């Protein structure tokens, strides 16, 4: 600081340091950044509190986001933290139930639901089911290739204890042989309590080598029926890869407008098992008969097709399915997605359906 005297007037001059201006600008920018962070933090906290108190308050805002920019509903749920697991059910296990499912995927899925019910009813420990690899389809997939194993175990742990594999002491390596059997079809609770449960006190591990329709659909306790539905709609969740592919297929179909998913149930194994040959050639009917004899566990071999058809035990033919769709009011511009395997008779049997509905989609 300098003090000078000019015309008897003292003048005070302060030398401004050269770094004072840049430092002041830095402080201003720092204040702005901190203020912005603080404001955004307050805004986010306010939105969170509003959503907690009034969940529908922000519905109008979120609905403006295009559907294509958001993941599907099931995937949206998976992005959030998973719900807390139900508390495990504490009970003394009466033994281990091992099951080998048979049939197509629908039959095996229903069987899995039934086996969870049996394990719950008898207080058993259920081993993750084995899937059929010897059926007509010869699909080599394991349970974990199709369903989420961890979700299956955790989501049902408040009802039944499920393990991925038997303890080592019950393995063949140690010379242990499980008791194998096929329960009587369409059996009720009394059958399992009186005839199956005593087997576990003797064998510890019972292996059901057939699981299709082994439990009655009706007449069992309401809480067990509810559990059967819970297994089907909550416990059996597809793997993320299968779910992603499913959403992709639906999105492709939706991009072209409304569509109808049609499961004709007209595959070769279905016709051979039921013995329904209406509309088939003589050669095709003989081929279906040979397939019946090729599977020893298909008990009926000689089947009268017309008699079975008059009893209402045959699937609709593709021609009959065409008439049903037309009767329901679907026009020729309707997109039809064939959700089934290879149609027996191939394009010859699909000719009438294609003529009535040209927009048939098959992947």
């Amino acid at each position: 600081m300098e003090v000078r005297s000019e015309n008897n007037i003292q003048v005070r001059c302060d030398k401004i340091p050269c770094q004072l201006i840049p430092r002041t600008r830095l402080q201003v920018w720092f204040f702005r950044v901190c203020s912005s962070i603080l404001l955004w933090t307050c805004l986010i906290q306010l939105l969170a509190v509003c959503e907690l108190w009034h969940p529908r308050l922000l519905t109008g805002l979120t609905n403006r986001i295009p559907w294509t920019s958001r993941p599907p509903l099931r995937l949206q749920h998976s992005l959030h933290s998973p719900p807390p697991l139900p508390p495990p059910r504490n009970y003394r296990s009466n033994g281990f139930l091992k099951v080998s499912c048979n049939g197509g995927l629908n039959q095996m899925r229903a069987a899995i639901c039934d086996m969870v019910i049996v394990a719950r009813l008898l207080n058993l420990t259920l081993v993750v089911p084995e899937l059929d690899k010897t059926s007509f389809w010869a699909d080599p997939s394991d349970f974990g290739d199709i369903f989420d194993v961890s979700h299956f175990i955790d989501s049902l742990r408040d009802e039944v204890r499920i393990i991925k594999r038997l303890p080592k002491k019950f393995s063949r390596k140690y010379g242990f042989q499980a008791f194998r059997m096929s329960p009587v079809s369409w059996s009720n609770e009394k059958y399992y309590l009186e005839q199956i449960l005593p087997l576990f006190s003797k064998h510890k591990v019972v292996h059901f080598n057939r699981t299709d329709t082994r439990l009655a659909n009706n007449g069992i306790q309401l809480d067990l029926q509810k559990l059967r539905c819970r297994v089907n709609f909550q416990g059996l969740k597809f793997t993320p890869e299968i779910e992603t592919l499913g959403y992709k297929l639906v999105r492709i179909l939706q991009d072209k407008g409304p569509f109808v998913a049609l499961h004709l149930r007209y595959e070769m194994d279905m016709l051979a098992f039921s013995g329904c040959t209406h509309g088939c050639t003589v050669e095709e009917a003989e081929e279906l008969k040979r397939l019946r004899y090729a599977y020893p566990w298909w008990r009926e071999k000689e089947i009268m097709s017309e008699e079975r058809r008059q009893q209402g035990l045959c699937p609709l033919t593709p021609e009959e399915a065409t008439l049903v769709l037309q009767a329901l009011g679907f026009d020729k511009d309707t997109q039809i997605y064939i959700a089934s395997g290879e149609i027996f008779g191939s394009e010859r049997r699909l000719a009438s359906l294609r003529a009535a509905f040209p927009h048939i989609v098959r992947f």
Side-chain angles (χ1 to χ4, degrees):
M1 180 176 65
E2 297 180 356
V3 178
R4 295 183 300 173
S5 179
E6 298 181 3
N7 299 327
N8 298 326
I9 299 176
Q10 289 185 347
V11 179
R12 180 175 179 176
C13 298
D14 294 335
K15 290 185 178 181
I16 302 175
C18 61
Q19 294 181 352
L20 183 59
I21 294 178
R23 184 174 299 172
T24 303
R25 290 177 179 174
L26 182 62
Q27 292 175 348
V28 171
W29 279 106
F30 180 75
F31 176 76
R32 289 179 178 177
V33 171
C34 292
S35 300
S36 299
I37 294 175
L38 181 62
L39 288 175
W40 276 108
T41 303
C42 293
L43 179 60
I44 293 174
Q45 292 293 333
L46 180 61
L47 291 175
V49 172
C50 292
E51 182 68 15
L52 181 63
W53 287 350
H54 300 284
R56 297 183 181 180
L57 186 63
L58 302 177
T59 302
L61 178 62
T62 56
N63 285 343
R64 295 177 184 176
I65 303 176
W67 182 87
T68 55
S69 66
R70 292 182 294 177
L73 184 60
R74 183 74 173 269
L75 296 183
Q76 290 181 42
H77 292 316
S78 64
L79 295 176
H80 300 291
S81 58
L85 296 176
R89 175 171 170 256
N90 295 319
Y91 64 96
R92 179 182 176 184
S93 176
N94 291 320
F96 297 90
L97 175 61
K98 187 177 179 181
V99 297
S100 295
C101 302
N102 60 289
L105 183 58
N106 287 337
Q107 288 74 26
M108 290 191 290
R109 188 183 185 109
I112 293 169
C113 299
D114 288 348
M115 293 304 105
V116 172
I117 301 302
V118 172
R120 175 63 175 83
L121 176 65
L122 304 184
N123 287 333
L124 303 174
T125 298
L126 177 67
V127 183
V128 170
E130 299 174 350
L131 301 188
D132 193 350
K133 297 181 176 62
T134 61
S135 64
F136 172 80
W137 300 103
D139 190 336
S141 301
D142 291 320
F143 188 97
D145 296 324
I146 299 177
F147 302 111
D148 188 328
V149 178
S150 297
H151 177 80
F152 177 68
I153 295 174
D154 294 339
S155 63
L156 299 171
R157 70 179 200 159
D158 59 328
E159 293 285 355
V160 64
R161 193 175 304 143
I162 305 174
I163 58 177
K164 293 183 179 180
R165 60 188 63 87
L166 285 170
K168 291 184 178 179
K169 64 179 181 180
F170 296 120
S171 64
R172 293 183 178 179
K173 180 180 179 181
Y174 293 92
F176 181 83
Q177 290 289 339
F179 180 74
R180 294 171 60 90
M181 64 170 296
S182 298
V184 178
S185 299
W186 306 109
S187 299
N188 56 20
E189 301 163 72
K190 183 178 179 181
Y191 167 79
Y192 284 98
L193 289 170
E194 295 182 358
Q195 299 190 42
I196 301 299
L197 182 57
L199 296 175
F200 287 91
S201 60
K202 179 180 179 181
H203 302 283
K204 298 302 180 183
V205 180
V206 175
H207 184 179
F208 289 170
N209 53 11
R210 307 287 294 175
T211 57
D212 55 321
T213 62
R214 302 295 153 167
L215 183 65
N217 283 338
N218 300 308
I220 65 174
Q221 299 177 32
L222 181 59
D223 58 335
L224 296 180
Q225 288 283 30
K226 290 180 179 179
L227 178 57
R228 176 186 259 153
C229 294
R230 178 181 167 189
V231 178
N232 192 32
F233 293 101
Q234 294 182 5
L236 290 175
K237 177 183 177 183
F238 289 119
T239 60
E241 295 79 8
I242 293 180
E243 283 197 340
T244 301
L245 178 60
Y247 286 120
K248 181 179 180 180
L249 294 178
V250 172
R251 187 166 59 251
I252 292 174
L253 292 168
Q254 288 179 332
D255 287 343
K256 297 181 180 180
F259 68 93
V260 174
L262 176 63
H263 197 333
L264 286 175
R265 298 296 291 142
Y266 210 75
E267 301 95 337
M268 184 177 182
D269 66 323
M270 178 64 184
L271 297 179
F273 179 78
S274 62
C276 299
T277 59
H278 183 78
C280 297
T281 64
V282 176
E283 293 76 12
E284 289 173 341
E286 285 298 320
E287 186 178 5
L288 295 176
K289 184 177 180 179
R290 287 194 298 270
L291 183 60
R292 276 202 304 279
Y293 276 92
Y295 289 92
W297 51 87
W298 289 2
R299 297 180 180 178
E300 292 186 272
K301 304 302 181 183
E302 297 294 333
I303 301 176
M304 302 297 294
S305 175
E306 289 304 318
E307 181 180 341
R308 181 65 59 90
R309 180 175 167 84
Q310 291 176 3
Q311 294 172 348
L313 300 177
C314 290
L316 292 177
T317 65
E319 296 83 1
E320 292 168 336
T322 303
L323 296 176
V324 171
L325 290 173
Q326 290 176 327
L328 291 174
F330 293 102
D331 56 35
K332 63 180 301 183
D333 295 327
T334 303
Q335 189 179 193
I336 305 291
Y337 169 55
I338 305 295
S340 63
E342 187 65 29
I343 303 301
F344 188 66
S346 191
E347 290 300 319
R348 179 180 68 85
R349 301 307 301 270
L350 286 176
S352 61
L353 184 63
R354 287 191 181 277
F357 302 99
H359 303 291
I360 290 182
V361 180
R362 301 192 71 182
F363 289 100

